[in-house]
Amino acid sequence: MNPQGIFDVIVIGAGSIGTPAAMYMAQAGLKVLVVDQFASPGQGSNKAAIGGVRATHSDPAKIRLGLQSTKVFSTWQEEHGQDIEWHSGGYCFVAYTEQDEKSLQDLLVIQKSYGLNIDWLDGQAIRELIPAINPLGLRGGTFSPDDGHCSNLLANHAFYLSARQAGAVFHFHETVQAISIHNNRVTGVVTDRGSYQAAIVVNAAGPWAAQVGSMAGLSHPVMPDSHEAGITEPVAPFIGPLIVDIHPGDHSANIYFYQQNTGQFNFCLTPEPHIWGYNCNETSDFLPLVSKRMISLVPRLAKLRVRRTWRGLYPMTPDGSPIIGWADQPDGYLMAIGMCGQGFMFGPGVGSLLTRIITQNELSVQDREILYILRSNRDFIGNEMLK
Ligand SMILES: Cc1cc2nc3c(=O)[nH]c(=O)nc-3n(C[C@H](O)[C@H](O)[C@H](O)COP(=O)(O)OP(=O)(O)OC[C@H]3O[C@@H](n4cnc5c(N)ncnc54)[C@H](O)[C@@H]3O)c2cc1C
């Protein structure tokens, strides 16, 4: 097949990662093609996210990527004029048990050492912050006021418009079927509609990353892990922060929810055990489980009507952290995969990092630290606590 175009970089996937990555790469002067199998940007896992954005993590690489991304989301409207419904309400990880209190307090040491604006609040202070919270047994929690939330749909679209403006080319409804490799170097991709040349191919294929990796002869430990979410009717604002309860509950590892600027509550539950696979049909199990936990945390929610639930995929790795960087081989194959439950919030941070990897000869100490932690040949035995 004759190549239909020659690019500097081909990005596979216009999702939470691929779209902002294309934006930064095109702004840096690279000729970028983004190929996505779906009809428009952000239609994979991106659209299933609920829009939580935080730098509150337990791993230094994720804290750094979170800080960089939060800055971009929180200043987007000011810098670019588009309203992505950003709200700096902060994240509040609540503790109702001694063990959760200890785990969260232990993390503060590393979080603060990486510059995170976060503190422990006792039960009384949490009640002042969230008057509707259930006070029974509340020991306290962490609060990070610079974290927040925004619309994952609006943000991805805003990145897409900026990427196009900077010259990135997007092909939708087109599936990458093969990665072309010559003398152990990437030379482009073959799709169901044609072939394209580039010396660099970025795997930003989200839950499909392992399939794309196999096209380059690689085996990536990224599995589709299904999670459900939902949205309620809108009500007058009464909750500021995004609330996370990391305590294991009935068939769930944790829950998180927040009230949008427009009044609706967005909520999500991490199933325990994991539900692996690509099935995205909603279940009848989710709502009874998640509503019970939300109402026990915020009893006022009991009267709220749910508008819709949906199910999407976390691109999950064994240790709960992404895989970012060049493959040892083939040359020119760059990975930005395995974003787990945080790919939306990492989009701008990962996108700008990928651009620096491609364009800079010498990376900063901070970037090198991130890439070392998130390297593809790590042992994957760690377990990121706030994944
Ligand atoms: C219920 C739920 C709630 C979540 N809430 C949050 C949240 O609050 N905050 C947060 O940060 N994250 C959240 N996440 C996680 C987040 O959605 C993912 O981590 C993120 O979207 C992954 O981004 P990605 O770019 O890697 O994948 P995607 O956004 O899925 O993008 C990958 C793209 O690659 C394309 N693609 C794959 N293979 C091919 C191919 N062969 N050819 C062409 N195109 C291809 C796909 O079509 C897709 O568009 C949530 C996820 C779920 C399911």
Side-chain angles (χ1 to χ4, degrees):
M1 211 180 289
N2 287 328
Q4 290 163 317
I6 301 176
F7 296 87
D8 296 319
V9 185
I10 295 171
V11 179
I12 305 174
S16 301
I17 299 296
T19 310
M23 173 181 79
Y24 288 115
M25 289 174 193
Q27 286 170 350
L30 295 166
K31 202 173 167 210
V32 185
L33 169 68
V34 187
V35 183
D36 200 291
Q37 63 198 350
F38 294 136
S40 59
Q43 297 303 306
S45 288
N46 181 78
K47 79 170 175 196
I50 68 165
V53 174
R54 63 180 155 102
T56 304
H57 300 279
S58 64
D59 173 273
K62 291 169 80 169
I63 294 173
R64 284 224 163 96
L65 290 172
L67 283 168
Q68 291 167 17
S69 294
T70 305
K71 196 166 166 206
V72 175
F73 287 118
S74 62
T75 56
W76 187 268
Q77 185 168 11
E78 200 178 306
E79 303 269 324
H80 300 88
Q82 292 142 327
D83 182 8
I84 57 168
E85 294 182 356
W86 171 259
H87 177 67
S88 291
Y91 261 63
C92 181
F93 284 75
V94 291
Y96 284 84
T97 67
E98 194 180 340
Q99 192 196 346
D100 290 344
E101 175 175 353
K102 182 170 178 337
S103 305
L104 292 170
Q105 290 212 14
D106 286 351
L107 286 182
L108 286 175
V109 180
I110 185 160
Q111 289 169 334
K112 281 173 181 272
S113 74
Y114 278 83
L116 208 58
N117 179 14
I118 186 164
D119 263 311
W120 176 260
L121 304 185
D122 64 17
Q124 175 60 30
I126 295 281
R127 287 204 296 276
E128 281 161 24
L129 181 70
I130 311 169
I133 196 91
N134 185 350
L136 274 183
L138 179 65
R139 304 175 72 90
T142 59
F143 181 55
S144 44
D146 300 338
D147 294 336
H149 52 80
C150 61
S151 161
N152 36 307
L153 307 178
L154 291 175
N156 197 263
H157 194 68
F159 298 147
Y160 167 67
L161 293 179
S162 289
R164 291 263 315 263
Q165 199 175 29
V169 175
F170 284 76
H171 286 194
F172 295 111
H173 265 318
E174 185 162 348
T175 303
V176 173
Q177 297 179 324
I179 295 176
S180 314
I181 297 169
H182 187 67
N183 286 340
N184 212 17
R185 278 209 63 89
V186 158
T187 56
V189 302
V190 179
T191 74
D192 53 352
R193 286 208 257 146
S195 67
Y196 309 91
Q197 284 182 4
I200 296 171
V201 171
V202 180
N203 182 346
W208 299 271
Q211 292 163 17
V212 168
S214 68
M215 298 176 196
L218 299 170
S219 167
H220 299 320
V222 179
M223 300 255 289
D225 176 17
S226 87
H227 288 237
E228 286 182 85
I231 187 165
T232 69
E233 62 184 335
V235 286
F238 69 100
I239 302 255
L242 191 152
I243 300 174
V244 187
D245 183 5
I246 58 166
H247 197 71
D250 194 12
H251 290 91
S252 57
N254 62 52
I255 62 158
Y256 51 100
F257 59 97
Y258 72 91
Q259 189 171 20
Q260 290 185 9
N261 291 355
T262 41
Q264 302 94 326
F265 277 81
N266 269 4
F267 51 91
C268 206
L269 169 141
T270 299
E272 181 61 48
H274 292 273
I275 304 171
W276 303 110
Y278 288 98
N279 187 345
C280 284
N281 294 329
E282 315 79 84
T283 70
S284 52
D285 299 332
F286 169 65
L287 207 48
L289 288 175
V290 74
S291 53
K292 198 164 129 200
R293 290 198 63 173
M294 284 171 71
I295 292 164
S296 86
L297 285 170
V298 178
R300 265 180 75 181
L301 293 174
K303 298 273 185 271
L304 213 50
R305 283 172 299 196
V306 171
R307 282 264 168 91
R308 187 168 74 84
T309 63
W310 64 89
R311 189 168 168 202
L313 306 171
Y314 279 20
M316 205 64 198
T317 60
D319 61 1
S321 287
I323 299 168
I324 300 177
W326 297 113
D328 287 341
Q329 53 178 350
D331 284 347
Y333 177 81
L334 187 55
M335 294 161 286
I337 57 177
M339 298 294 147
C340 306
Q342 289 118 30
F344 170 65
M345 65 181 79
F346 289 152
V350 172
S352 59
L353 174 61
L354 295 174
T355 307
R356 291 193 295 279
I357 293 174
I358 293 171
T359 58
Q360 292 182 5
N361 291 330
E362 187 74 24
L363 290 171
S364 68
V365 176
Q366 287 86 350
D367 282 351
R368 278 186 276 136
E369 184 189 26
I370 295 173
L371 292 174
Y372 179 74
I373 294 171
L374 302 180
R375 67 197 184 283
S376 60
N377 60 358
R378 63 183 190 261
D379 55 21
F380 291 97
I381 54 170
N383 194 356
E384 216 269 309
M385 218 188 104
L386 306 181
K387 65 188 175 199

